[in-house]
Amino acid sequence: MTLPLGIFYALSALMIGFSLVVVTSRNLFRGAMCLTASMGFVAAFFALLGGDFLAASQLLIYVGGVMVLILFVVMFVQTPDLFRARQTSVRWIPALLLAGGVGALFIRAFCHIESPTELPVLQPTSTALGHLLLGDMAVPFEVISLVLLAALVGALVFGLERES
Amino acid sequence: MITLAHMLCLSAILFSIGIYGVLARKSLIAILMSVELMFNAANINLVAFNRFLYPDSLWGQGLVLLVITVAAAEAVVGLALVIAIYRNTKNLNADDLHLLHD
């Protein structure tokens, strides 16, 4: 086994382990911390696949922004009796069967995909990505700012305390 | 050497873990966290296809940036809804939320 493949398997095992804790842990706070670690490993895979700018944005936006928000909400709503309460619904066996079936189907389909063996050397992507975002992808790039504005207003509207 | 099939199988596993979480967990916050797992599985797929099949283009990575942004917006609105529901019902169990039912 070569070194890159070994690194790949080690990262995959860690990421899958942390993700399993996310969906099985009774303590929501522990689940959120493990999700943070899992997002960090996804950033590692982005870096492994040549997306240096993407890995940095994944760390900044997910690990630095979204996860802090989720942790804040968990601390806001979690009461001590929730730590011991059962966290899975009664339908967990059909859910497990469905998820396992979908996963097995995907893996069965993906195993025979041929991939090219000759790949170009990894290059820094930030400059090219900036040109792409403000060139060919300018319309989605502008629309996404409207989406963010709408999300901001929506979060304020839902989050405001009603004066009664 | 890492091949495209390795990355696709990895993201399939991550996606099915996310499906299990969405279907089986009770808490609304846990369901949101599982949806984030599924988003990330899709992102790994996009970057892997970009790297292995179209190494000269960057459209896959640009699309992933947009997906990350939309996921952040989704998390913000979803968590605001969770807080609003918690403030009104003091309960975040998805099985017990049937305000419109009766």
Side-chain angles (χ1 to χ4, degrees), chain A residues 6-7 13 15 22 32-34 37-38 57 61 63 72-73 78 90 92-93 97-98 100 104 113 133 135 147-148 159:
Chain A
I7 293 175
M15 190 179 79
V22 173
M33 289 310 289
C34 288
S38 184
S57 1
I61 299 178
V63 182
F72 179 76
V73 175
Q78 192 166 42
V90 288
W92 71 273
I93 293 178
L97 288 179
L98 183 68
I113 287 186
L133 280 178
V147 172
L148 279 180

Side-chain angles (χ1 to χ4, degrees), chain A residues 17-40 62-78 83 87, chain B residues 25 27 29-34 36-37 40 79:
Chain A
F18 277 120
S19 311
L20 282 176
V21 177
V22 173
V23 294
T24 53
S25 163
R26 290 194 176 191
N27 185 346
L28 273 182
F29 193 82
R30 180 180 300 146
M33 289 310 289
C34 288
L35 182 61
T36 312
S38 184
M39 302 288 118
Y62 263 117
V63 182
V66 174
M67 289 318 300
V68 170
L69 195 66
I70 291 181
L71 283 174
F72 179 76
V73 175
V74 167
M75 287 189 277
F76 189 69
V77 302
Q78 192 166 42
F83 284 127
Q87 282 290 316
Chain B
R25 295 299 294 250
S27 164
I29 301 176
I31 292 176
L32 270 177
M33 293 199 294
S34 309
E36 299 293 330
L37 280 181
N40 278 279
L79 289 173

